[in-house]
Amino acid sequence: MFDVKLTSWGATEEVTGSCHLLKINNYRLLIDCGLWQGSWESYLKNWDEFGFDPSSLDAVILTHAHLDHCGRLPKLYAQGYKGKVYTTEPSIKLAQIVLKDNYHITQEKARYHKLPQLYSLSDLNKVDWQAVNYYQTIQLGDDISFSIHNAGHILGAGIIELKIGGRIIVFSGDIGGENMPLVKDVDYLKKADYVITESTYGNRLHEDLKDRNEKLLEAVKRTVVNNSTLLISIFAIERTQDILKVLNDYYENHLDFNVPVFLDSPMAASATRIYKQSIKYLNQAAQDTLNTDNDLFNFPHLKITNQVRKSKQINAVAPPKIIMAGSGMAEGGRVLHHLARYVKDAKNTILFIGFQVPGTLGHKLINGTFNFDYYGKSVPIKAAVDQIDGFSAHADQAALLKWLGSFKKPKKVFLSHGNKEVMEEYAKTIQAKLKFDTLILKKGESIKL
Ligand SMILES: [Zn+2]
């Protein structure tokens, strides 16, 4: 007989910091160990104690390479964890660049705010990655096994299906929907006793796939008419490659269109290289395009500016021009110095792609703040600020309900990874439409499964 207890230590009534502990008799399994992002108050929680002893863990499974799911993995090793981290091969490659980038950011923030180092480079190198193929069964112990299904979210992202004795527990991780520009459609599972699901967009619908491409291209065309600058705040993984593909298709079909596009993010450039190495993980349409176009993410007039010197030279390029820079929520990175320069001109457009966590500069800008603080200097916002939701790698409410509705009456559904109000609304929707018993996870609360 198995005694199974679930305790969530992050992404409870919030969208970051994913961290779920399962105690299976004496076996301790952690699903994800993400960073808290968003407001400074939320970010500070990364320095808190884990709530469990990392050295007591037997295994860790990572759903995908987003920072809010993998960001505290090195901290686990810093505090005594010695086991493996199971995940797909693209997730390993992406997480390695994400964690290295985050190391420099947290170092800088820790120094500035006189906090201890969150983790060292040697902790980062201690992470013992174990690659798992989709659908491969991994035996963790007697009658405890798991497999990873395609989450349709970002390259390599997985849904974890855990089998404990006769029980099936499914962790959604972050799930995407159907007809994503690059990754394959999400897998629909049928059987589970318990489902722990994300709920980021539990109360909202995305715009249509066609609309999002149109909206992006409209912003591009407007930039030409206004002879101005389009600054796109990008997430290095998936969104960047999605946008590059849309631009690639446009430029390949409009050979006389010569507006320069600067990909001003070394991390996004590295992530794009990983996409190119992982063709078999892409959807059929993307693979088919590769038959006629040998590079989905490259086109005339795309310039990748890895060095700081080259990044600074972008300023001297006459408009019209397009700049893609991170971080995606404008919380750091090169987008900040571009914002400080281009936000002051009403002709320019600042475009945000995907979900913006409340408390971030991206969230403030799309909600109409009048100025922003750039190293103690107030910069007035005159440029048009716009957001395209449809590039989100997250399923919207309809897609979430479709995915959850494919299960045959689970005993219970647990909600994680969403804002409190969104979760409350989504829980009611699930109960009304699917008639599934639904509970919102609370931090540190142990639930017997
Ligand atoms: Zn994610």
Side-chain angles (χ1 to χ4, degrees):
M1 259 315 272
F2 286 100
D3 180 31
V4 184
K5 257 192 214 137
L6 167 71
T7 316
S8 289
W9 291 102
T12 49
E13 302 177 295
E14 59 190 342
V15 280
T16 62
S18 272
C19 188
H20 308 285
L21 177 68
L22 272 180
K23 288 184 194 168
I24 310 159
N25 292 348
N26 292 322
Y27 195 91
R28 282 171 164 74
L29 173 67
L30 196 70
I31 312 285
D32 288 346
C33 195
L35 201 79
W36 275 292
Q37 297 169 281
S39 66
W40 180 242
E41 190 190 21
S42 178
Y43 195 75
L44 269 181
K45 290 194 289 186
N46 293 308
W47 276 264
D48 289 353
E49 295 291 322
F50 273 114
F52 53 88
D53 177 7
S55 70
S56 71
L57 295 175
D58 294 283
V60 177
I61 307 173
L62 174 67
T63 59
H64 65 289
H66 272 149
L67 197 55
D68 56 333
H69 293 258
C70 73
R72 284 182 297 152
L73 285 174
K75 188 180 164 182
L76 276 184
Y77 287 85
Q79 302 206 351
Y81 178 55
K82 291 195 169 57
K84 292 186 188 319
V85 175
Y86 295 92
T87 193
T88 63
E89 198 172 333
S91 293
I92 295 174
K93 290 182 182 169
L94 290 170
Q96 282 170 332
I97 58 167
V98 165
L99 290 172
K100 195 148 184 211
D101 178 76
N102 183 56
Y103 165 75
H104 296 292
I105 295 169
T106 51
Q107 278 283 91
E108 204 178 299
K109 289 202 176 173
R111 232 189 341 256
Y112 187 77
H113 293 278
K114 299 193 169 45
L115 290 163
Q117 190 182 43
L118 192 64
Y119 58 84
S120 69
L121 262 188
S122 96
D123 298 323
L124 176 54
N125 293 330
K126 276 187 222 159
V127 179
D128 186 4
W129 300 104
Q130 179 71 48
V132 177
N133 290 324
Y134 281 139
Y135 318 118
Q136 184 187 355
T137 301
I138 302 290
Q139 211 67 36
L140 292 173
D142 282 345
D143 239 358
I144 307 173
S145 67
F146 78 91
S147 54
I148 303 181
H149 298 260
N150 170 37
H153 173 57
I154 62 167
L155 188 75
I159 297 163
I160 314 297
E161 184 189 31
L162 201 62
K163 292 187 175 166
I164 303 165
R167 257 167 286 188
I168 301 177
I169 302 170
V170 171
F171 287 85
S172 75
D174 285 352
I175 52 176
E178 296 174 4
N179 303 314
M180 302 292 276
L182 293 168
V183 292
K184 293 175 183 167
D185 288 354
V186 61
D187 285 335
Y188 295 96
L189 281 66
K190 289 191 170 58
K191 272 173 76 178
D193 295 285
Y194 301 97
V195 181
I196 294 93
T197 177
E198 68 128 325
S199 38
T200 318
Y201 280 100
N203 66 344
R204 281 167 67 182
L205 297 175
H206 292 326
E207 56 214 325
D208 196 71
L209 189 87
K210 264 213 183 99
D211 294 347
R212 72 181 176 195
N213 294 0
E214 281 309 309
K215 220 170 156 182
L216 173 65
L217 294 172
E218 264 166 33
V220 169
K221 290 170 199 164
R222 196 164 62 233
T223 300
V224 180
V225 172
N226 288 349
N227 193 32
S228 61
T229 299
L230 169 63
L231 173 59
I232 309 175
S233 176
I234 48 161
F235 291 87
I237 303 172
E238 200 76 21
R239 255 68 61 90
T240 292
Q241 292 75 30
D242 286 350
I243 289 167
L244 284 178
K245 184 176 181 295
V246 175
L247 293 177
N248 178 84
D249 293 350
Y250 186 79
Y251 277 73
E252 299 274 341
N253 289 311
H254 299 81
L255 292 175
D256 55 339
F257 195 77
N258 59 4
V259 175
V261 177
F262 297 95
L263 178 59
D264 192 23
S265 163
M267 184 158 78
S270 305
T272 305
R273 274 197 297 278
I274 295 168
Y275 272 73
K276 287 182 193 177
Q277 295 162 4
S278 313
I279 304 295
K280 68 170 184 178
Y281 286 85
L282 302 182
N283 62 34
Q284 198 53 50
Q287 292 194 28
D288 289 347
T289 311
L290 280 167
N291 292 328
T292 51
D293 178 357
N294 63 11
D295 194 339
L296 281 179
F297 310 111
N298 201 3
F299 48 89
H301 311 294
L302 172 68
K303 294 170 178 52
I304 296 169
T305 48
N306 279 335
Q307 299 132 314
V308 175
R309 181 176 56 86
K310 289 259 167 89
S311 169
K312 285 185 177 155
Q313 285 169 359
I314 298 172
N315 295 335
V317 175
K321 60 186 170 187
I322 300 165
I323 306 168
M324 300 169 65
S327 66
M329 301 186 206
E331 279 300 277
R334 293 182 182 177
V335 74
L336 285 181
H337 81 83
H338 291 304
L339 269 175
R341 176 170 287 264
Y342 297 107
V343 85
K344 292 181 276 191
D345 187 342
K347 283 195 297 183
N348 296 336
T349 301
I350 316 296
L351 199 54
F352 285 92
I353 306 290
F355 190 80
Q356 303 291 311
V357 174
T360 59
L361 180 57
H363 188 265
K364 286 178 194 157
L365 286 173
I366 58 171
N367 284 287
T369 191
F370 297 113
N371 48 44
F372 89 97
D373 182 72
Y374 185 66
Y375 293 105
K377 234 175 109 186
S378 174
V379 182
I381 292 153
K382 297 202 175 125
V385 179
D386 210 349
Q387 182 187 28
I388 305 181
D389 241 7
F391 282 103
S392 174
H394 282 275
D396 63 5
Q397 190 197 58
L400 280 171
L401 282 172
K402 183 175 177 188
W403 181 78
L404 194 58
S406 72
F407 288 99
K408 241 181 170 175
K409 198 106 184 115
K411 288 193 186 103
K412 202 154 223 154
V413 171
F414 298 100
L415 300 189
S416 76
H417 209 282
N419 287 329
K420 194 168 181 251
E421 314 77 62
V422 175
M423 284 179 162
E424 282 163 0
E425 212 179 312
Y426 185 43
K428 278 186 203 147
T429 310
I430 293 170
Q431 275 151 350
K433 294 204 168 166
L434 303 176
K435 314 264 182 294
F436 292 169
D437 194 6
T438 305
L439 197 81
I440 295 170
L441 289 172
K442 300 244 186 301
K443 190 176 174 188
E445 189 180 53
S446 283
I447 299 158
K448 204 169 154 40
L449 303 184

